[in-house]
Short mmCIF file of all heavy atoms in Angstrom, two decimals:
data_model
loop_
_atom_site.label_atom_id
_atom_site.label_comp_id
_atom_site.label_asym_id
_atom_site.label_seq_id
_atom_site.Cartn_x
_atom_site.Cartn_y
_atom_site.Cartn_z
N ARG R 289 89.21 85.65 116.54
CA ARG R 289 89.54 85.98 115.29
C ARG R 289 88.65 85.14 114.17
O ARG R 289 88.43 85.67 113.10
CB ARG R 289 90.97 85.88 115.00
CG ARG R 289 91.90 86.88 115.81
CD ARG R 289 91.51 88.20 115.55
NE ARG R 289 92.42 89.05 116.33
CZ ARG R 289 92.17 89.58 117.56
NH1 ARG R 289 91.10 89.28 118.22
NH2 ARG R 289 93.08 90.47 118.13
N ASP R 290 88.38 84.00 114.53
CA ASP R 290 87.58 83.10 113.59
C ASP R 290 86.14 82.87 114.16
O ASP R 290 85.98 81.87 114.80
CB ASP R 290 88.30 81.78 113.45
CG ASP R 290 87.70 80.94 112.36
OD1 ASP R 290 86.92 81.44 111.60
OD2 ASP R 290 88.03 79.66 112.44
N ALA R 291 85.36 83.95 113.91
CA ALA R 291 84.02 83.93 114.48
C ALA R 291 83.00 84.25 113.34
O ALA R 291 83.37 84.93 112.46
CB ALA R 291 83.86 84.74 115.65
N THR R 292 81.82 83.83 113.52
CA THR R 292 80.62 84.25 112.77
C THR R 292 80.13 85.54 113.49
O THR R 292 79.75 85.57 114.51
CB THR R 292 79.57 83.12 112.72
OG1 THR R 292 80.07 81.96 112.07
CG2 THR R 292 78.31 83.68 111.91
N TRP R 293 80.10 86.58 112.64
CA TRP R 293 79.61 87.89 113.18
C TRP R 293 78.19 88.20 112.74
O TRP R 293 77.87 87.90 111.61
CB TRP R 293 80.53 89.05 112.66
CG TRP R 293 81.77 89.19 113.40
CD1 TRP R 293 82.75 88.31 113.37
CD2 TRP R 293 82.19 90.17 114.34
NE1 TRP R 293 83.83 88.82 114.13
CE2 TRP R 293 83.54 89.96 114.70
CE3 TRP R 293 81.56 91.32 114.69
CZ2 TRP R 293 84.24 90.78 115.58
CZ3 TRP R 293 82.29 92.25 115.59
CH2 TRP R 293 83.54 91.88 115.99
N VAL R 294 77.30 88.62 113.63
CA VAL R 294 76.00 88.79 113.34
C VAL R 294 75.62 90.21 113.93
O VAL R 294 75.99 90.58 115.02
CB VAL R 294 75.11 87.75 113.98
CG1 VAL R 294 73.67 88.00 113.67
CG2 VAL R 294 75.52 86.30 113.66
N THR R 295 74.84 90.93 113.17
CA THR R 295 74.29 92.27 113.57
C THR R 295 72.84 92.19 113.47
O THR R 295 72.20 91.32 112.71
CB THR R 295 74.91 93.36 112.84
OG1 THR R 295 74.42 93.36 111.56
CG2 THR R 295 76.41 93.37 112.83
N SER R 296 72.19 93.24 114.06
CA SER R 296 70.76 93.50 113.73
C SER R 296 70.74 94.14 112.44
O SER R 296 71.80 94.46 111.85
CB SER R 296 70.09 94.18 114.74
OG SER R 296 70.44 95.55 114.70
N HIS R 297 69.56 94.50 111.91
CA HIS R 297 69.53 95.26 110.58
C HIS R 297 69.62 96.75 110.89
O HIS R 297 69.67 97.49 109.83
CB HIS R 297 68.07 94.95 109.98
CG HIS R 297 66.94 95.55 110.78
ND1 HIS R 297 66.50 95.02 111.91
CD2 HIS R 297 65.99 96.57 110.42
CE1 HIS R 297 65.44 95.65 112.39
NE2 HIS R 297 65.17 96.65 111.44
N LEU R 298 69.69 97.19 112.06
CA LEU R 298 69.96 98.51 112.31
C LEU R 298 71.32 98.97 112.27
O LEU R 298 72.27 98.28 112.78
CB LEU R 298 69.49 98.89 113.84
CG LEU R 298 67.87 98.58 113.95
CD1 LEU R 298 67.52 98.69 115.41
CD2 LEU R 298 67.08 99.25 113.05
N ARG R 299 71.68 100.15 111.49
CA ARG R 299 73.02 100.35 111.10
C ARG R 299 73.87 100.71 112.25
O ARG R 299 75.14 100.44 112.19
CB ARG R 299 73.12 101.68 110.21
CG ARG R 299 72.52 102.88 110.58
CD ARG R 299 72.70 103.99 109.59
NE ARG R 299 72.05 105.22 109.91
CZ ARG R 299 70.85 105.67 109.78
NH1 ARG R 299 70.10 104.87 109.01
NH2 ARG R 299 70.43 106.80 110.14
N ARG R 300 73.49 101.02 113.53
CA ARG R 300 74.38 101.39 114.52
C ARG R 300 75.14 100.03 114.98
O ARG R 300 76.21 100.09 115.57
CB ARG R 300 73.61 101.98 115.71
CG ARG R 300 72.42 101.08 116.27
CD ARG R 300 71.79 102.09 117.35
NE ARG R 300 70.64 101.40 118.06
CZ ARG R 300 69.32 101.50 117.50
NH1 ARG R 300 69.03 102.19 116.49
NH2 ARG R 300 68.28 101.01 118.34
N THR R 301 74.59 98.87 114.76
CA THR R 301 75.26 97.69 115.13
C THR R 301 76.36 97.39 114.14
O THR R 301 77.43 96.87 114.43
CB THR R 301 74.16 96.44 115.12
OG1 THR R 301 73.55 96.25 113.95
CG2 THR R 301 73.23 96.68 116.31
N ARG R 302 76.03 97.60 112.85
CA ARG R 302 77.05 97.37 111.83
C ARG R 302 78.30 98.37 112.14
O ARG R 302 79.45 98.06 111.93
CB ARG R 302 76.57 97.58 110.36
CG ARG R 302 77.68 97.25 109.36
CD ARG R 302 77.13 97.29 107.91
NE ARG R 302 78.28 96.97 107.02
CZ ARG R 302 78.57 95.61 106.70
NH1 ARG R 302 77.86 94.58 107.09
NH2 ARG R 302 79.50 95.49 105.89
N GLN R 303 77.92 99.61 112.36
CA GLN R 303 78.98 100.68 112.56
C GLN R 303 79.87 100.16 113.75
O GLN R 303 81.06 100.40 113.71
CB GLN R 303 78.33 101.99 112.85
CG GLN R 303 77.65 102.62 111.73
CD GLN R 303 76.71 103.79 112.07
OE1 GLN R 303 76.40 103.94 113.30
NE2 GLN R 303 76.28 104.57 110.98
N THR R 304 79.19 99.61 114.77
CA THR R 304 80.06 99.31 115.98
C THR R 304 80.79 98.00 115.70
O THR R 304 81.94 97.88 116.14
CB THR R 304 79.06 98.86 117.02
OG1 THR R 304 78.14 100.05 117.40
CG2 THR R 304 79.74 98.45 118.26
N ALA R 305 80.31 97.15 115.02
CA ALA R 305 81.08 95.88 114.59
C ALA R 305 82.37 96.25 113.82
O ALA R 305 83.38 95.72 114.02
CB ALA R 305 80.14 94.91 113.79
N GLU R 306 82.15 97.19 112.86
CA GLU R 306 83.32 97.56 112.09
C GLU R 306 84.40 98.32 112.95
O GLU R 306 85.51 98.11 112.71
CB GLU R 306 82.84 98.48 110.90
CG GLU R 306 82.06 97.72 109.87
CD GLU R 306 81.37 98.70 108.93
OE1 GLU R 306 81.26 100.05 109.14
OE2 GLU R 306 80.93 98.17 107.82
N ALA R 307 83.93 98.99 113.94
CA ALA R 307 84.83 99.72 114.85
C ALA R 307 85.50 98.71 115.72
O ALA R 307 86.83 98.86 115.94
CB ALA R 307 84.07 100.74 115.76
N PHE R 308 84.88 97.78 116.17
CA PHE R 308 85.55 96.62 117.05
C PHE R 308 86.62 95.97 116.15
O PHE R 308 87.62 95.55 116.63
CB PHE R 308 84.51 95.67 117.68
CG PHE R 308 84.06 96.15 118.89
CD1 PHE R 308 82.77 96.67 119.10
CD2 PHE R 308 84.88 96.03 120.03
CE1 PHE R 308 82.34 97.05 120.38
CE2 PHE R 308 84.43 96.44 121.31
CZ PHE R 308 83.14 96.92 121.45
N ALA R 309 86.17 95.50 114.98
CA ALA R 309 87.19 94.84 113.97
C ALA R 309 88.36 95.66 113.85
O ALA R 309 89.46 95.18 113.80
CB ALA R 309 86.48 94.42 112.80
N SER R 310 88.18 97.03 113.59
CA SER R 310 89.35 97.80 113.38
C SER R 310 90.26 97.91 114.55
O SER R 310 91.51 97.76 114.43
CB SER R 310 88.83 99.29 113.08
OG SER R 310 89.80 100.21 112.93
N HIS R 311 89.76 98.01 115.71
CA HIS R 311 90.59 98.14 116.87
C HIS R 311 91.19 96.67 117.24
O HIS R 311 92.27 96.58 117.93
CB HIS R 311 89.72 98.50 118.16
CG HIS R 311 89.45 100.03 118.02
ND1 HIS R 311 90.46 101.05 118.32
CD2 HIS R 311 88.35 100.72 117.70
CE1 HIS R 311 89.91 102.23 118.16
NE2 HIS R 311 88.70 102.15 117.72
N ALA R 312 90.52 95.56 116.80
CA ALA R 312 91.02 94.30 117.06
C ALA R 312 92.01 93.95 115.89
O ALA R 312 92.82 92.83 116.14
CB ALA R 312 89.93 93.26 117.11
N GLY R 313 92.15 94.62 114.92
CA GLY R 313 93.30 94.49 113.96
C GLY R 313 92.93 93.41 112.88
O GLY R 313 93.68 92.64 112.31
N PHE R 314 91.54 93.24 112.47
CA PHE R 314 91.24 92.32 111.51
C PHE R 314 90.00 92.78 110.67
O PHE R 314 89.31 93.73 111.15
CB PHE R 314 90.94 90.90 112.03
CG PHE R 314 89.74 90.79 113.09
CD1 PHE R 314 88.36 90.76 112.52
CD2 PHE R 314 89.99 90.94 114.34
CE1 PHE R 314 87.39 90.68 113.39
CE2 PHE R 314 88.91 90.86 115.16
CZ PHE R 314 87.66 90.74 114.78
N GLU R 315 89.85 92.35 109.42
CA GLU R 315 88.81 92.77 108.60
C GLU R 315 87.58 91.72 108.71
O GLU R 315 87.78 90.51 108.93
CB GLU R 315 89.28 92.86 107.21
CG GLU R 315 90.30 93.91 106.92
CD GLU R 315 90.67 93.98 105.42
OE1 GLU R 315 89.98 93.26 104.66
OE2 GLU R 315 91.58 94.76 105.03
N LEU R 316 86.42 92.38 108.60
CA LEU R 316 85.26 91.46 108.53
C LEU R 316 84.81 91.12 107.14
O LEU R 316 84.34 92.14 106.42
CB LEU R 316 84.11 92.15 109.35
CG LEU R 316 84.22 92.38 110.77
CD1 LEU R 316 83.12 93.26 111.23
CD2 LEU R 316 84.31 91.06 111.61
N ALA R 317 85.02 89.86 106.65
CA ALA R 317 84.76 89.61 105.36
C ALA R 317 83.27 89.55 105.17
O ALA R 317 82.80 89.98 104.10
CB ALA R 317 85.32 88.16 105.11
N GLU R 318 82.52 89.16 106.11
CA GLU R 318 81.06 89.13 106.05
C GLU R 318 80.35 89.07 107.37
O GLU R 318 80.94 88.66 108.37
CB GLU R 318 80.68 87.78 105.39
CG GLU R 318 79.16 87.39 105.20
CD GLU R 318 78.87 86.14 104.50
OE1 GLU R 318 79.83 85.39 104.35
OE2 GLU R 318 77.73 85.89 104.26
N MET R 319 79.20 89.84 107.33
CA MET R 319 78.38 89.75 108.59
C MET R 319 77.02 89.47 108.32
O MET R 319 76.44 89.83 107.30
CB MET R 319 78.39 91.22 109.27
CG MET R 319 79.70 91.70 109.99
SD MET R 319 79.53 93.27 110.75
CE MET R 319 79.83 94.39 109.43
N LEU R 320 76.50 88.51 109.15
CA LEU R 320 75.12 88.09 108.92
C LEU R 320 74.29 89.20 109.46
O LEU R 320 74.57 89.80 110.53
CB LEU R 320 74.89 86.75 109.63
CG LEU R 320 75.74 85.58 109.19
CD1 LEU R 320 75.32 84.40 109.98
CD2 LEU R 320 75.57 85.37 107.85
N VAL R 321 73.20 89.42 108.84
CA VAL R 321 72.15 90.33 109.42
C VAL R 321 70.95 89.53 109.90
O VAL R 321 70.25 88.89 109.16
CB VAL R 321 71.70 91.38 108.35
CG1 VAL R 321 70.59 92.35 108.87
CG2 VAL R 321 72.86 92.14 107.82
N GLU R 322 70.49 89.93 111.17
CA GLU R 322 69.38 89.07 111.82
C GLU R 322 68.52 90.13 112.46
O GLU R 322 68.70 90.62 113.50
CB GLU R 322 69.91 88.19 112.88
CG GLU R 322 68.89 87.37 113.59
CD GLU R 322 67.79 86.74 112.79
OE1 GLU R 322 68.08 85.80 112.17
OE2 GLU R 322 66.68 87.51 112.73
N PRO R 323 67.49 90.45 111.76
CA PRO R 323 66.51 91.45 112.14
C PRO R 323 65.87 91.16 113.50
O PRO R 323 65.49 92.13 114.23
CB PRO R 323 65.42 91.60 111.08
CG PRO R 323 66.14 91.02 109.79
CD PRO R 323 67.02 90.00 110.31
N ARG R 324 65.81 89.90 113.83
CA ARG R 324 65.13 89.65 115.18
C ARG R 324 66.02 89.90 116.34
O ARG R 324 65.57 89.82 117.44
CB ARG R 324 64.77 88.03 115.30
CG ARG R 324 63.75 87.65 114.30
CD ARG R 324 63.52 86.15 114.24
NE ARG R 324 64.64 85.56 113.59
CZ ARG R 324 64.77 84.27 113.40
NH1 ARG R 324 63.80 83.40 113.79
NH2 ARG R 324 65.88 83.69 112.77
N LEU R 325 67.26 90.40 116.13
CA LEU R 325 68.17 90.78 117.25
C LEU R 325 68.08 92.34 117.33
O LEU R 325 68.79 92.95 118.10
CB LEU R 325 69.59 90.46 116.88
CG LEU R 325 69.90 88.98 116.81
CD1 LEU R 325 71.45 88.75 116.70
CD2 LEU R 325 69.33 88.27 118.14
N ALA R 326 67.07 93.02 116.73
CA ALA R 326 66.92 94.32 116.94
C ALA R 326 66.39 94.79 118.26
O ALA R 326 66.00 93.92 119.03
CB ALA R 326 65.84 94.98 115.74
N GLU R 327 66.47 96.11 118.63
CA GLU R 327 66.09 96.57 119.89
C GLU R 327 64.54 96.51 120.06
O GLU R 327 63.79 96.32 118.95
CB GLU R 327 66.51 98.01 120.12
CG GLU R 327 66.17 98.66 121.35
CD GLU R 327 66.78 97.84 122.65
OE1 GLU R 327 66.06 96.88 122.95
OE2 GLU R 327 67.76 98.39 123.16
N GLN R 328 64.04 96.56 121.29
CA GLN R 328 62.55 96.56 121.43
C GLN R 328 61.96 97.73 120.67
O GLN R 328 62.43 98.75 120.69
CB GLN R 328 62.31 96.67 122.96
CG GLN R 328 60.80 96.62 123.31
CD GLN R 328 60.58 96.69 124.79
OE1 GLN R 328 61.53 96.52 125.58
NE2 GLN R 328 59.40 96.86 125.28
N GLY R 329 60.90 97.43 119.98
CA GLY R 329 60.08 98.49 119.37
C GLY R 329 59.18 99.23 120.34
O GLY R 329 58.25 98.44 120.80
N PHE R 330 59.19 100.56 120.35
CA PHE R 330 58.31 101.21 121.36
C PHE R 330 57.24 101.89 120.56
O PHE R 330 56.50 102.75 121.11
CB PHE R 330 59.19 102.24 122.14
CG PHE R 330 60.03 101.55 123.13
CD1 PHE R 330 61.43 101.37 122.88
CD2 PHE R 330 59.51 101.18 124.26
CE1 PHE R 330 62.21 100.70 123.85
CE2 PHE R 330 60.44 100.50 125.35
CZ PHE R 330 61.78 100.28 124.90
#
C-alpha cells in the first residue's frame, strides 16, 4: 500500500496501474513516468 508507482510513458501502463489500484482498494496519488521502461521499439 505504501509504494512508489512507476509506469512507462505509454498509456496502457497507466490504465493498468489504475485498474490494479482500484481492485486493491486504494487511490494512486502520484505515478512516476519513466520512458526508459517502454516496450522494445520495432
Side-chain angles (χ1 to χ4, degrees):
R289 296 301 186 267
D290 185 16
T292 297
W293 282 69
V294 186
T295 70
S296 78
H297 66 292
L298 302 176
R299 62 179 176 267
R300 58 188 181 268
T301 58
R302 183 177 184 88
Q303 292 166 347
T304 302
E306 290 171 345
F308 270 108
S310 175
H311 286 284
F314 60 87
E315 294 184 4
L316 292 175
E318 181 181 4
M319 282 186 280
L320 303 180
V321 176
E322 176 48 78
R324 290 173 294 182
L325 296 184
E327 183 58 281
Q328 181 179 348
F330 292 98

